[in-house]
Structure formats: structure tokens, C-alpha cells
Amino acid sequence: MAKITFDGIEVEVEDGTTILNAARKIGGDVVPPAMCYYTPLKGSGGKCRACLVKVTAGSAKDPRPMPKLVASCVTPVQDGMVVENTLSPQVMEARKGIVEMLLINHPLDCPVCDQAGECDLQNFSYAHGTSATRFEEERRTFERQDIGPLIQLHMNRCILCYRCVYTADQITDKRVHGVLGRGDAAEIGTYIENVIDNDFSGNVIDVCPVGALTDKTFRFKNRVWFTKPVDAHRDCPKCAGKVVLWTRGNDVLRVTARKNEYGEVVDFICNECRFEKKEVADWTIEGPRHIARASVISANHYELPVINPQIIADLPESTTKELNIIPRPY
Amino acid sequence: MGLKILTEHINVPGINTFETYRKMGGYRSVEKALKTMTPDEVVDEVKKSGLRGRGGAGFPTGMKWSFLAKPEGKPRYLVCNADESEPGTFKDRVLMEKIPHALIEGMITSSYALGARTSYIYIRGELMFVLRILEKAIAEAYAAGFLGENILGSGYSLDLHVHPGGGAYICGEETALLESLEGKRGNPRNKPPFPAVQGLYACPTVVNNVESIATVPWIVNNTGEEYAKIGVGRSTGTKLISAGGHLNKPGVYEIELGLPVEEFLFSDEYCGGIWKGRQFKAVVAGGSSVPILPAQLFLKTAEGTPRLMTYESLSEGGFVSGTMLGSGGFIAMDDTTCIVRNTWNFSRFYHHESCGQCSPCREGTGWMEKILHRIEHGHGHMHDIDLLVNVSKQIEGNTICPLGDAAAWPVASAVRHFREEFEWHVKHPDKATAPGAVYRGAEDLAFA
């Protein structure tokens, strides 16, 4: 076990845990944002640099600070490590820069984007971005690509997080797409036009943090905040069959996998559940879906971010004041 | 004449053949190491020598070797980084082309020290002619019993392969190189784990530059102590410098570290002064990725101390008034050089070569290039200059690999030292964009 201090809060985690996951153990607003890291996907993380933190003491054995900001999602903790996230002005400045970089070529077409309301980049830029851009140049654009009848690829919106590539690589047996090209000309593609039609290919939609990969069967049908998410399940021979149905009235407009509070899929679902089962009768309804993450979907729910109460209890009053933590039921 | 370690025999006719190289005393270090020394003893000699990595970072080679994880049933690998592609750096190419057996001898001795049974030379794909030279030399070494099974009856076996890369600058970064060598896209890996723990095929691996490896035979033959006597302070030994730009005698020179920069630049033994007797304006001392320095700060530090060709002396003053020795890619610029155009040119390179894996480098390098393009072509604004500095700060230190820093430093340093030249481009776009136009000083700024 390793004891680390994250934003003044001490937490004990298992050896080998990353700084990000240690922060997630604390919970609440102190958790760094992550655009490319995805717990179920091996090898993900380290690319978007959204989760950069400052390590002011490397470990109890070697308490020297790390010279550069580190990506918390891929850096393992060391016993005695001291990390600053929200408390470090350098981190906040860097994060502002990352938002700006990510938005340089990302079109601000949120009003017509299917991801609006559940877009990680929207949330990230709301929390850390600025209201204006300094980028005056023409934005990068890509040729339109058709990757089949189920998934819409909108490459202009892609932030090259590689999540979809890892997903296809790790949960499907026939990956036909990847990253082509280099630098800002790099793109997600199938090289020679191909259809992404594997049984589990629909999961690339769920893992995409922006609107680069969207569900063609749901496209332009509704806005997510007008729909009612309900948990449902069915006996599926291919997957766990545990899903969220996004309904309006009696219509099932969209089926997605269930995600945890950090937007990560709990169980990947098959294409049959996702694209073919669009009748309420196909499912056993469990009840309303609780959307825990900061999103327009959970607007007006007035839920305050929760920090693990055991951790709060151990904190000195000065720290709780500094972090503006209000003790409340967990 | 300074001491020559790597280039002593470089002009001997036929030195690229095994026979001639052997006659000139080649492969003695292999015999000495394999027959009279244990691997740890070889590592100790390299540690004592104080040899620092000649690829650019200058990390102590012996220390890097000692970080190599214990085998634990896995093989260990030595990989030679011959993917030399930094603009201004062309020393390794000369070494491999002219005297390939020096590298092969170094690979055998170093592999023995590290306990590697298979080693690789990862060479830039464009250098196909050098690859053929190396392959021929390797075949000769196999035929002479210096490679393969049971080398010289010592019981030690080694296979050496040359692997051409795809010609991407990013593949010179050690972890991207390993990815490429494994047959994958050349994207840098997150560190930790470092290659010494998890490198090629997830096995303990050392990645060293050509020049570093080619130096090992001399250290083994003459001892680390002798090598440490050459040079100044922590900058021991000799260093190959590829000198280019506006020089009377551009070329690859082997210098003893500690040589005064003035002597290197102006003496007839080395660069022979600035081309056509023009005025010396600026220099990039260690490849295009290091900060550019104006002439006066290169010859003397901000404190007035004459600079030496050492890692420490060139970096004196940090990035405010110093630079880096880097890979030894020395580019001198005379007073006909437009710094803005030069910076834009460097920036174009880094934009083109960024792998695109992490956001600040992927987006930032392109952004900087576009701003510089605007300024150079007479469409810039005053606020663009500060924007350039700000964007470079957003990239520096925030990326997976050092390519982000390599792209940011030349831009930030050019603005720091030559800001008035950037301002002149913005204020007088018609003059700045005229053919052959170069900012000549404060009077240009005041004019009109």
C-alpha cells in the first residue's frame, strides 16, 4: 500500500495505482479530467494531457519534485508522494492551454452535434477553458468517410484520443480501422474504404469522448436532454445485455452501454442490443437511470460533488476551507 | 591537432573493409573484453570514463547501462539509435559510411557488457546506402568469427541486425524507435516504465547513439580513466561536431570537449571562420532543436566568461542566455540570415514530424508554424509575437516525448533574442517580404 497526498488530502491506495485512480478514490471536484484515459482499455492514457498534475514530492525515499508536470493517468503512485492538482496554478494554466489546443481544430458545432450534452470536451472546456480563442487560422478539415450503415465518422471533430482504436483492438476480433497519417494530418480511418461492422463495433461510439463517432440510428432524431434514460436488460447470448435505453414517450430512440460516473463503460454491449432492439418489449426495464456525471442531462438535479466522508473526517479544517469542502452525507 | 578517437583512421584507404580495419588495430576491444574481462568490468570502465550519450541528451552512458533490469528469464537487448535526422546533425552518417566496423566493434563489446544476445542497429530508412555498407561489414564480421555463435571461442554469442526505419524524425526518440522496431506505428511510449526495465518486446533494453557505441572500444582498450582525462569536468572525451551553415569549412570534426568555441569557429583546423568574411550573427549549437543564440552570447556567456565546447559551458545561463551542446549539430548563421524565416523553417519541420499522439504537440506545432508563416509573409500582428511565446510555453514540458520541447525551444529563443527582427517584420511587411530582405539593426526598425 502507498500513502499519497493529493491536493492536501491524504489517501492510501494499492501499489501500482495511478495518481488519477488515487484521486478518483477521493472523488469530487479534485479528480483530474481525462479525455483519452479509459479504465477498461489497456494501454489507453497519456495522450490528451488533460490530466497533467504537479508532483511536488516524488516519494518518501526521494522527496524531490518531478521536473515537469506528469500525466496522472499513467504515472503510478509512490509511497509519500505529494501531488497538486487544483491547488497548483501551473496545472490550471497548463490545463487551460490543453483546452485551447483541443479546441483549435474542433468545430464548435455543438448545436447540431449528436454528442452535445454528453460530450467530455464540452465539460472540460466549460471547467477549464476560456471564452475566446486566439486561433485565427483556417481550421483543419477532412474528407468525408463512409464507414458503414451503423456508425457515423465525423473526423473533423476527432481529438485523436485513440480510445476507439484500443476498443476495436481489444474487444473485437477484426479491427479494420486505426490512426493513419502523422501530426495534425493524422486521422481515424479504414485506409482503403471499409465498413466497421464487427459484432461489438458499436462500442466505439460509447468510448468516443466527443462527437467524432456517433450512432447513425439515433442521428438527428433528438437531443439527449429531451430523452429519458432508463436502465434495462435482456438475455443476450453475446454480451451482458445490461444497457441504458434513451426513450421519449414509448419510443426507444437509442441504446447505449452503461457508464460509471467517469463516463467509462461498465459492460461493453453487442451490436444486436445496441442497434436492433429498439422496442420496449425487447427489454426488462429496471428503472430510471441515475446520471452521476456533470452533464446537461443531469441539469437541475442539484447534486453536489461528493468526497469520500472518511477522507474528509481526517482532514484539518484549514484544508477543508481551502478546498471549499462542505461535509455532507455520502 | 586535437586527439582523435573515432576519426583517427577515417581517411585510411579501405578502412571500410574488415581486413584494413583489423590491420589498423580494429576489434582489439572485443578480444580484450571477451577474453580478459567480465561484463561488469566493461560496464565499470564505461562508468569511469564519464562518457555521456552523444545523441543529444548527454545522459551518462555507464549509468544508463547500470539501470538495466536483471534478466529474470527475459533476454536483454542493445539497440543502436542510428536514426539521425535532426536538421543540422549529420555526424553519425559519416561515421557509419566511412568506418562501419567501428560501430560494429562497439556493438559487440557493448552487447557483451550488457548481456545481450541479439542486438539491433535501427537506421534511418533514407540512408539505404549506409545500410548496405553496414550489412556488408556485418557479414565480414560474421565470417571472421566476431559475430555469431561462440565468438572467438569465448562462449559468448551475438546476432546483430540492421533495421531500416520508415524515415520519420520521431523514430529517433528512443521509445518511438522501439515501437517502430517492433513493427508498430512510431509513437513514443509513456515513461515510466523506461526501456531499461521494459524496452524492446517488453524486455530490458539499452538504446544508445552510434557515436556513444563507437567510443566504447577505445575506452575498453585504453581504460576509462584515460578517457576521463580528456575533456573538461563532466564533459569527458571527444565529440563529433557536424558543422554547417555559413562557414568557410563546413564538415564533421572531432574535437576534444573543452575546446574554446572561438577556436572551433575561427581556427583553420576546424570551421575556418564565417563564410566570405561576413559578420557572425547567430548559432544553433546542438541541432535545430536547441535554443538559438546570438553571436555575442555564444562566444561569451552573459557574465563575460568565454564559452567552451562542453555540455556545461554551453548551457550556462540556462535558456535565458545559454543553449545546449545537444547532438553537436552546429549551424552558424551570418548577417544575411533572416531569423524569422529560419525559425519558420525549423517550425515547419517540427510541425511536419510531430507524430500527433498528444494534443499540445499535435496542435501547437502547427499553430506556431502558421503564426510564423504569417509574420514572415507580411501578415503578422504585434500580438502574434507574444502569442508565439505563449503557445511555445503551452507545449514545452507538457508532451509525452521531447519533440514538443524541440519544437518550442527554437521559437521561444528566437523571439527572446531577436524580438526586434520579428517586430520589424510586423511593422514593415513590404520591406521584410522583399526578396533578400534582412533586418540589419535598430536603424531598420526606426526607418519609416
Side-chain angles (χ1 to χ4, degrees):
Chain A
M1 296 296 276
K3 227 177 226 180
I4 80 158
T5 309
F6 190 93
D7 267 356
I9 302 170
E10 206 167 77
V11 61
E12 201 169 12
V13 291
E14 278 178 29
D15 290 330
T17 309
T18 59
I19 297 174
L20 180 76
N21 281 328
R24 284 182 176 181
K25 201 171 172 194
I26 299 166
D29 280 347
V30 295
V31 181
M35 303 295 294
C36 68
Y37 175 76
Y38 211 70
T39 309
L41 301 174
K42 205 180 148 203
S44 66
K47 295 173 178 64
C48 68
R49 318 304 281 175
C51 68
L52 290 177
V53 291
K54 188 172 177 62
V55 177
T56 54
S59 65
K61 275 186 198 162
D62 182 4
R64 287 178 299 173
M66 290 190 181
K68 294 176 176 179
L69 300 183
V70 299
S72 59
C73 64
V74 288
T75 309
V77 296
Q78 302 275 334
D79 191 37
M81 189 181 251
V82 180
V83 183
E84 283 185 357
N85 177 40
T86 54
L87 298 183
S88 165
Q90 193 190 346
V91 171
M92 290 297 111
E93 193 59 30
R95 212 161 276 168
K96 204 164 78 179
I98 301 295
V99 175
E100 189 172 28
M101 295 291 184
L102 288 174
L103 289 175
I104 279 179
N105 283 303
H106 184 90
L108 295 181
D109 60 349
C110 312
V112 296
C113 177
D114 273 302
Q115 191 84 2
E118 48 186 15
C119 171
D120 289 352
L121 187 55
Q122 252 184 344
N123 297 337
F124 182 37
S125 53
Y126 182 75
H128 297 280
T130 51
S131 57
T133 180
R134 299 178 295 171
F135 188 74
E136 295 174 19
E137 276 71 31
E138 198 175 326
R139 284 168 195 267
R140 174 187 63 209
T141 53
F142 293 90
E143 291 289 317
R144 199 184 172 89
Q145 271 190 70
D146 185 5
I147 58 167
L150 303 173
I151 305 163
Q152 178 70 40
L153 170 61
H154 196 312
M155 190 53 222
N156 291 344
R157 293 181 190 147
C158 178
I159 58 163
L160 282 166
C161 68
Y162 285 63
R163 279 183 187 175
C164 62
V165 180
Y166 285 119
T167 305
D169 208 21
Q170 290 170 26
I171 69 163
T172 73
D173 55 7
K174 196 183 75 177
R175 174 162 79 87
V176 293
H177 84 285
V179 177
L180 316 171
R182 196 164 64 196
D184 59 8
E187 61 178 302
I188 297 292
T190 54
Y191 189 48
I192 296 168
E193 283 201 5
N194 213 334
V195 174
I196 299 179
D197 63 352
N198 185 283
D199 263 356
F200 280 76
S201 61
N203 289 296
V204 298
I205 299 166
D206 281 346
V207 300
C208 182
V210 293
L213 291 159
T214 49
D215 183 344
K216 263 191 181 173
T217 64
F218 176 64
R219 213 166 168 240
F220 302 135
K221 283 201 173 155
N222 222 306
R223 313 303 299 178
V224 289
W225 54 89
F226 292 141
T227 61
K228 199 182 271 180
V230 290
D231 282 343
H233 68 266
R234 66 182 273 267
D235 282 333
C236 178
K238 293 179 196 163
C239 68
K242 291 176 182 170
V243 300
V244 181
L245 304 181
W246 300 78
T247 61
R248 190 155 190 191
N250 287 329
D251 297 332
V252 176
L253 299 179
R254 182 173 70 147
V255 181
T256 66
R258 292 183 195 176
K259 294 181 180 179
N260 66 13
E261 60 180 312
Y262 299 109
E264 292 169 347
V265 168
V266 180
D267 290 307
F268 289 108
I269 60 168
C270 67
N271 280 7
E272 191 186 334
C273 287
R274 183 186 302 273
F275 297 117
E276 291 171 26
K277 302 294 173 187
K278 294 286 180 78
E279 300 293 331
V280 175
D282 294 329
W283 299 94
T284 307
I285 307 292
E286 294 172 21
R289 173 80 186 158
H290 177 76
I291 304 290
R293 205 151 185 243
S295 164
V296 70
I297 306 163
S298 53
N300 301 328
H301 288 185
Y302 301 107
E303 281 183 24
L304 291 167
V306 177
I307 291 188
N308 193 329
Q310 279 134 5
I311 288 168
I312 296 172
D314 296 338
L315 286 176
E317 203 184 332
S318 58
T319 313
T320 50
K321 251 186 198 168
E322 192 172 2
L323 293 170
N324 200 19
I325 296 171
I326 308 151
R328 54 184 170 271
Y330 191 43
Chain B
M1 285 285 282
L3 176 72
K4 305 283 183 262
I5 286 175
L6 295 161
T7 58
E8 188 186 357
H9 303 303
I10 206 160
N11 290 321
V12 172
I15 193 70
N16 60 341
T17 63
F18 178 82
E19 201 184 353
T20 313
Y21 184 74
R22 186 87 172 112
K23 264 186 209 160
M24 301 307 293
Y27 288 99
R28 272 193 299 129
S29 72
V30 177
E31 287 175 308
K32 185 178 175 185
L34 267 59
K35 288 180 179 169
T36 66
M37 296 169 83
T38 64
D40 285 345
E41 282 170 347
V42 181
V43 175
D44 278 346
E45 287 303 323
V46 175
K47 266 191 193 168
K48 282 179 206 161
S49 73
L51 174 68
R52 293 170 70 169
R54 303 299 196 217
F59 192 80
T61 305
M63 198 187 286
K64 193 174 190 176
W65 285 13
S66 62
F67 288 156
L68 200 63
K70 295 279 173 279
E72 288 177 1
K74 281 182 172 181
R76 291 167 149 201
Y77 293 105
L78 170 66
V79 178
C80 172
N81 184 350
D83 190 83
E84 182 181 53
S85 43
E86 178 115 336
T89 310
F90 46 88
K91 63 184 176 78
D92 292 342
R93 182 184 70 86
V94 173
L95 205 60
M96 290 187 287
E97 187 186 338
K98 298 269 187 188
I99 187 160
H101 284 285
L103 173 61
I104 293 158
E105 183 183 353
M107 285 297 288
I108 301 167
T109 314
S110 308
S111 299
Y112 171 71
L114 298 168
R117 300 295 161 124
T118 308
S119 295
Y120 295 90
I121 300 172
Y122 181 93
I123 192 165
R124 190 166 175 79
E126 279 93 330
L127 300 182
M128 199 47 81
F129 67 105
V130 180
L131 178 131
R132 294 205 177 102
I133 291 169
L134 284 174
E135 279 183 337
K136 184 173 165 281
I138 287 171
E140 286 175 336
Y142 266 107
F146 281 92
L147 278 171
E149 292 294 318
N150 193 17
I151 298 170
L152 306 176
S154 65
Y156 174 67
S157 307
L158 175 70
D159 281 314
L160 181 59
H161 305 279
V162 193
H163 186 100
Y169 173 70
I170 189 61
C171 292
E173 197 277 334
E174 61 175 358
T175 56
L177 184 156
L178 295 175
E179 287 282 295
S180 173
L181 194 54
E182 287 179 7
K184 298 180 218 156
R185 189 183 159 85
N187 278 355
R189 296 175 183 169
N190 289 300
K191 289 189 260 188
F194 289 90
V197 180
Q198 247 183 64
L200 188 65
Y201 309 121
C203 297
T205 304
V206 164
V207 183
N208 275 151
N209 174 259
V210 172
E211 191 187 338
S212 318
I213 291 173
T215 306
V216 172
W218 195 95
I219 294 169
V220 171
N221 288 334
N222 299 279
T223 73
E225 280 96 345
E226 281 304 307
Y227 189 83
K229 284 178 190 166
I230 313 161
V232 173
R234 285 172 54 228
S235 297
T236 61
T238 64
K239 170 98 186 78
L240 289 181
I241 304 286
S242 50
H246 297 136
L247 294 169
N248 279 323
K249 288 169 61 189
V252 175
Y253 297 101
E254 184 170 5
I255 60 157
E256 284 182 51
L257 286 169
L259 182 79
V261 292
E262 202 158 348
E263 190 182 334
F264 177 68
L265 188 58
F266 294 107
S267 79
D268 282 339
E269 189 185 342
Y270 300 106
C271 303
I274 301 298
W275 191 42
K276 293 184 179 175
R278 286 182 187 150
Q279 207 176 337
F280 177 34
K281 183 175 182 178
V283 73
V284 170
S288 67
S289 63
V290 309
I292 189 171
L293 269 191
Q296 68 276 12
L297 274 179
F298 176 63
L299 297 171
K300 281 186 180 167
T301 63
E303 279 74 43
T305 328
R307 281 202 202 269
L308 307 175
M309 294 293 276
T310 62
Y311 292 95
E312 293 77 22
S313 178
L314 285 174
S315 60
E316 207 177 318
F319 285 172
V320 177
S321 60
T323 181
M324 292 161 80
L325 181 61
S327 61
F330 184 93
I331 309 170
M333 300 170 206
D334 69 17
D335 56 353
T336 63
T337 310
C338 172
I339 296 295
V340 179
R341 192 172 188 82
N342 180 68
T343 312
W344 171 51
N345 207 21
F346 284 168
S347 207
R348 273 168 66 196
F349 174 79
Y350 291 107
H351 175 206
H352 184 262
E353 297 297 328
S354 167
C355 75
Q357 199 184 189
C358 58
S359 338
C361 181
R362 179 182 66 241
E363 308 293 350
T365 52
W367 193 5
M368 286 197 302
E369 196 227 307
K370 283 169 183 150
I371 299 169
L372 283 160
H373 179 274
R374 260 195 287 136
I375 298 175
E376 167 61 19
H377 290 83
H379 307 294
H381 307 285
M382 268 316 190
H383 65 255
D384 283 340
I385 302 170
D386 287 327
L387 181 61
L388 260 183
V389 177
N390 195 268
V391 173
S392 76
K393 274 188 189 157
Q394 284 179 3
I395 302 171
E396 188 187 338
N398 291 343
T399 52
I400 296 176
C401 80
L403 193 139
D405 297 345
W409 290 338
V411 175
S413 59
V415 176
R416 185 184 306 121
H417 297 301
F418 299 94
R419 191 181 182 100
E420 54 189 30
E421 198 158 333
F422 285 82
E423 287 176 1
W424 182 68
H425 272 71
V426 172
K427 280 184 187 166
H428 308 290
D430 48 334
K431 286 186 178 57
T433 54
V438 177
Y439 174 68
R440 300 262 174 198
E443 67 272 20
D444 273 346
L445 203 62
F447 184 71

